[in-house]
Amino acid sequence: MAALPFSDREFKVIADIMYEAAGLSFNDSKKSLIHSRLSPRIHKLGLQSFADYIEILGDETQGAEFQMAVDLLTTNETYFFREPKHYDLLQQEFATYGPSRSLHVWSAASSFGDEAYSTAMLMADMQMRGQIGAGWSILATDISHRVLLSAKEGVFPEDRLRAVSPERLRRYCLRGEGPSQGQVLVQDKIRQKVQFGQLNLCKPFDGLGPFDVVFLRNVLIYFDPPTKTDVVDRVLATLKPGGLFFLGTAEGRVPCKTPITPVIPGAFRKNA
Ligand SMILES: C[S@@+](CC[C@H](N)C(=O)[O-])C[C@H]1O[C@@H](n2cnc3c(N)ncnc32)[C@H](O)[C@@H]1O
């Protein structure tokens, strides 16, 4: 199939739409990435050019296609117990709280929910041991409607649970058989502790929280420096003083106005 022409102007229009609506930042070096990720979609829709696609992206009644473009231009990669040291720290932290305290966790940019369900398994174990009470909940949000639909179903390819211990797999998961072989269903007792919702981190999200712990891992890579700082400060505003804040370990420390103290790589405590 012939490569679709893609002018600098068309690149700029798409980059501007993505920045305005989702905070995604694409500099000139990303022109070929946008071309390669969106061209197959344009062909699939039977459109003739990037100009036709831009018309759809700019049409507010075609929100589903905008969502599709965001999905194609970002990665949803995630897996259970990613960055195990973060979960070790969380467990140590919760163990100091005692069973009477209610606990609220936010997995911002949750993708398919692996992070939220991992946290729910950890907390369910701690509740079973009497280290925390039953009053805990997890909110998991993402900009992508598609990943949220899948997250709510709680069905995952086995490989994504490779870091889940055999005991947790037995306690909280069901292995598929027959046509579902190779898939794992997270049991209802874990799924019901996680509430999923659509949320664009680059738009206001007043009224959320306060949370004891917030995960904001592996999403800031898409944002430019001012957007990163703005998002981090607004997310930190939802965190209780003394609460833990997790970024991806590769993301380093993001400049923000809110005072935070590093704990381990990728983990910070909001100053009291
Ligand atoms: C690589 S995944 C991170 C998943 C998980 N936090 C982890 O670290 O394993 C990045 C997620 O960020 C989401 N995302 C991108 N831009 C966003 C925005 N403006 N608001 C909310 N979520 C966004 C994408 O849809 C994707 O699911």
Side-chain angles (χ1 to χ4, degrees), residues 18 21-24 67 70-71 74-80 82-83 87 107-116 141-147 198-203 215-223 227 231 247-248 251:
M18 289 298 149
L24 307 181
Q67 283 281 319
V70 171
D71 271 352
T74 57
T75 157
N76 304 114
E77 204 217 327
T78 185
Y79 48 91
F80 280 70
R82 184 178 196 173
E83 309 275 13
Y87 293 95
S107 166
S110 64
S111 189
F112 293 102
D114 305 38
E115 188 173 82
T141 62
D142 200 281
I143 194 173
S144 167
H145 186 57
R146 181 183 65 90
V147 297
Q198 192 173 27
L199 184 141
N200 180 351
L201 290 164
C202 295
K203 303 282 177 202
F215 289 90
L216 182 70
R217 303 192 304 173
N218 303 302
V219 61
L220 296 173
I221 37 164
Y222 301 115
F223 305 151
T227 309
V231 169
L247 295 174
E251 293 171 301

Side-chain angles (χ1 to χ4, degrees), residues 194-238:
V194 183
Q195 193 197 338
F196 287 96
Q198 192 173 27
L199 184 141
N200 180 351
L201 290 164
C202 295
K203 303 282 177 202
F205 44 80
D206 305 331
L208 272 195
F211 298 105
D212 299 275
V213 173
V214 176
F215 289 90
L216 182 70
R217 303 192 304 173
N218 303 302
V219 61
L220 296 173
I221 37 164
Y222 301 115
F223 305 151
D224 63 4
T227 309
K228 279 185 190 182
T229 299
D230 174 60
V231 169
V232 166
D233 274 320
R234 287 186 301 112
V235 167
L236 283 171
T238 71

